Structure formats: C-alpha cells, structure tokens
Amino acid sequence: MTDWRSRFGFHTAPFTRELSVAHRFSLPMFDEVLMALFRAVDQRGSAALVAPAGTGKTALLRALLDQLPEARYRVHYVKVTDLSNCDLCREIAVACGAQPAGSYPMLVRRLQERFLSTMSDDGVRPVLLLDEAQGLRPEVFSLVKILTNFEMDSRLVLSVILAGQMSLRDLLRQPAHEAVTRRLVHLASLRTLSRPESHRYLAHRCSIAGATTFPFDTGACDAVFEVACGNLRATDQLAAKALEVAHDAGAAIVDSGHLAIARRLLWP
Ligand SMILES: Nc1ncnc2c1ncn2[C@@H]1O[C@H](COP(=O)(O)OP(=O)(O)O)[C@@H](O)[C@H]1O
Ligand SMILES: [Mg+2]
C-alpha cells in the first residue's frame, strides 16, 4: 500500500504535535502574546496566559522558552496535574534540580534557596512555566505566592508564567487568590483562528511537511473551518484524518466528502 504521506508529497507527517519552534505558524496575535510574556519576564514579573484548549498555549510557551537566552535565564517547565502543594513542590524541585524530598516547609525553602542561588551564584534568572494551570488546586495558589515572594517582596527573583484554560481566569478572579493575581503584570489570551487564517494555517502545515501542491480543495478548507471552528488542535486532527480518508479512496486531493467522513471517524 502506498503510504498516504508520499501520495501527497509530504516528507514527514503533517499536522502532528511535534512542531519545531522555527516552523510555527505566525500570526500577529501569537507575536503580540509572545512579546508581552517576554516583556513580563524581562521586567522580572509574572504573567498569565488564558485561552481555550487547543488554541496554542503550550506551543507559545515553547516559543517563549526558545526566546529566553540560556545565558540569562534558566527556564523550568512544569505541567500541572491535580497535585497537592507538597507534590507540586516536588515536581518543581525535580524540574529545577533541587532535592525533591522533605516536608512541605523544607521543600519550599529548598526551592527558594535554589532560585536565589540561580540568581546570585549562577547569574541567571529563574523562570517557571506552569502549564495547564487551570488544574492548580486552590491551596496551591499560596505556593505560587510564596515562591514569588522573596524577602518580603523587596527582591524580584522568580518569574512565573501561568498558562491555562478559561477556568484559570475564574480562579484568578477569586478574592482568595488576589495575592497571586496582584503579582501578575500581564494577562494574555489567545483566540481561535478566523476562516482565512484557518485556510492559511492548513497551507502552512502542508508546506512545512514538504507538500509542493496544496492537497485540500476550497470546499475541504471551508469544511475544516466549519467543523473545527478555528481551533488549532481540532484542525490538525481533522486535516490529518481527511488526508488518510482521501488516500484510502484513491483521491489525489481532499474534498468536502472526505472531510465529512473524517469528521464521523473522529467525533461520532
Ligand atoms: N503557532 C503554531 N503554529 C503551528 N501549529 C501550532 C501553533 N500553535 C499550536 N499549534 C498546533 O496546535 C496544536 C494545539 O496547540 P497547543 O499549544 O498544544 O494548544 P493548547 O496548549 O492551548 O491546548 C499543537 O499540537 C500544534 O500542532
Ligand atoms: Mg497545552
């Protein structure tokens, strides 16, 4: 059986999650958020990025990491799951090379010492990227507050970027979390793509995967947008499945009929 990738001229699978920073789809919206988060970190502040699932938050954090020079920043990425204060502390400790053992107060002290020594001994600024931060348990907000509070706020040591789905905004609005929200110097958001942006996105993902001709007809592009509503992850899933369907049908180009089948196969 011919591999569906070679049928459409791809040298690699298109629409996968493995996307190098250099191959990102560029939009003013992404550039503006990236610049705002970079500026927050550069000012030694903390910030939040709140947007629906699949709109590019994690990809943007990767781009931010790429923009922060290693000579000046030490960036730690932690994906939040439903963890207690103590367990999240351990995760952060593992990410930043501190010993992940001991009681909660001991762990907090270890992290604070580690961040301070990163700054004073190594001369680089520690940055903590907390992804999926909508999953932060309420009590864990106090940890974020403690970690960003050095010597009673007289020194800005650690920058925290909280990235999460829309419910993170509700968490940040709660009066109980005001101490954390007040520390944020920027609240960024991302939206879904418009129809023309979605078409350009499809073309971009095909071209970075090596396609010399664009394998979706206009009806297929419209159908992708109507089903995925400009959500990047849904667009990826649908486009990849439609290519498979078109290949199995022996077609050289994906049309709206293939899209309808792909949709049923993905989301019955
Ligand atoms: N700037 C971008 N350029 C190209 N593809 C992107 C970009 N941002 C996101 N994607 C694609 O969309 C998918 C979902 O993005 P992701 O960052 O994981 O969303 P989120 O973290 O908001 O749920 C990724 O797997 C990636 O393939
Ligand atoms: Mg994500």
Side-chain angles (χ1 to χ4, degrees):
M1 195 173 81
T2 334
D3 184 283
W4 64 270
R5 278 165 290 201
S6 53
R7 174 187 290 268
F8 299 106
F10 296 119
H11 56 57
T12 176
F15 303 107
T16 63
R17 283 168 23 182
E18 290 112 45
L19 182 81
S20 73
V21 170
H23 281 159
R24 282 186 320 127
F25 177 60
S26 176
L27 278 182
M29 163 178 72
F30 293 133
D31 296 344
E32 281 158 23
V33 171
L34 190 56
M35 177 53 77
L37 296 183
F38 181 86
R39 199 177 291 140
V41 171
D42 190 49
Q43 293 167 357
R44 306 180 170 213
S46 293
L49 168 60
V50 180
T55 51
K57 297 181 295 296
T58 302
L60 213 125
L61 290 184
R62 280 208 302 272
L64 176 65
L65 202 153
D66 188 70
Q67 282 221 336
L68 295 168
E70 267 178 47
R72 287 177 54 205
Y73 299 96
R74 187 154 306 148
V75 190
H76 311 289
Y77 173 91
V78 174
K79 190 166 178 166
V80 173
T81 42
D82 183 26
L83 296 175
S84 67
N85 263 337
C86 210
D87 289 341
L88 184 65
C89 257
R90 284 200 195 97
E91 291 271 314
I92 298 172
V94 169
C96 66
Q99 209 194 333
S103 62
Y104 176 61
M106 167 75 88
L107 279 163
V108 170
R109 223 172 22 253
R110 281 218 173 98
L111 286 180
Q112 285 183 316
E113 280 165 13
R114 166 57 57 136
F115 293 138
L116 268 176
S117 86
T118 300
M119 181 123 144
S120 357
D121 306 341
D122 308 343
V124 291
R125 299 260 333 281
V127 179
L128 180 61
L129 308 179
L130 285 179
D131 201 2
E132 303 289 351
Q134 78 281 352
L136 285 173
R137 286 190 192 170
E139 79 264 17
V140 177
F141 270 81
S142 61
L143 172 63
V144 176
K145 180 182 148 202
I146 294 167
L147 290 181
T148 49
N149 178 356
F150 280 84
E151 291 158 18
M152 302 185 76
D153 276 348
S154 62
R155 292 182 70 186
L156 292 168
V157 176
L158 176 72
S159 288
V160 178
I161 304 291
L162 299 168
Q165 295 172 26
M166 302 312 281
S167 54
L168 173 61
R169 178 165 294 174
D170 301 330
L171 284 173
L172 291 171
R173 280 186 182 143
Q174 286 179 17
H177 302 147
E178 203 195 327
V180 170
T181 311
R182 259 194 285 115
R183 285 173 155 70
L184 304 178
V185 297
H186 191 83
L187 176 62
S189 60
L190 292 171
R191 56 167 175 79
T192 50
L193 304 186
S194 67
R195 187 183 293 264
E197 287 167 350
S198 163
H199 288 204
R200 282 195 351 250
Y201 176 75
L202 288 172
H204 173 78
R205 295 295 308 242
C206 289
S207 97
I208 59 172
T212 43
T213 55
F214 182 50
F216 293 84
D217 73 10
T218 311
C221 289
D222 282 335
V224 169
F225 177 72
E226 269 139 39
V227 176
C229 301
N231 182 288
L232 293 168
R233 185 170 299 128
T235 300
D236 287 348
Q237 290 171 326
L238 198 59
K241 187 54 91 183
L243 283 166
E244 264 176 49
V245 170
H247 170 260
D248 292 349
I253 194 140
V254 182
D255 63 25
S256 57
H258 302 127
L259 249 303
I261 298 170
R263 179 193 192 167
R264 280 200 298 279
L265 291 172
L266 281 172
W267 303 299

